[in-house]
Amino acid sequence: MRSLLAAFLLLPGAANACSVCFGKSEGTAGLASGLWWGIMLLLSVTMLLVGTIGYTLWSVEQRRQARDA
């Protein structure tokens, strides 16, 4: 671990981000666009799943309260 830290301190060029993360993705616009759409799709599916579970729990609780009243 110490040798890795020493390498990054002595060779700062080795610690640069990749070209996509660093903002120099000329010629790879399709890759950057695909990455963005992939992130959006995964976030959408996750939020849809969490929302569906939340709505289901809320509706079950509403029915339980209506039945008990």
Side-chain angles (χ1 to χ4, degrees):
M1 184 68 167
R2 289 182 185 174
S3 61
L4 183 62
L5 179 62
F8 282 136
L9 290 175
L10 295 174
L11 301 168
N16 284 342
C18 68
S19 62
V20 173
C21 299
F22 202 60
K24 295 184 177 182
S25 59
E26 296 98 14
T28 58
L31 177 65
S33 176
L35 180 67
W36 188 84
W37 280 109
I39 291 170
M40 290 299 113
L41 177 68
L42 289 173
L43 283 173
S44 300
V45 168
T46 303
M47 290 300 120
L48 180 65
L49 182 63
V50 169
T52 302
I53 291 170
Y55 176 75
T56 302
L57 292 174
W58 177 78
S59 96
V60 166
E61 182 64 20
Q62 293 297 315
R63 288 183 197 154
R64 187 187 64 80
Q65 286 179 358
R67 185 191 64 208
D68 291 345

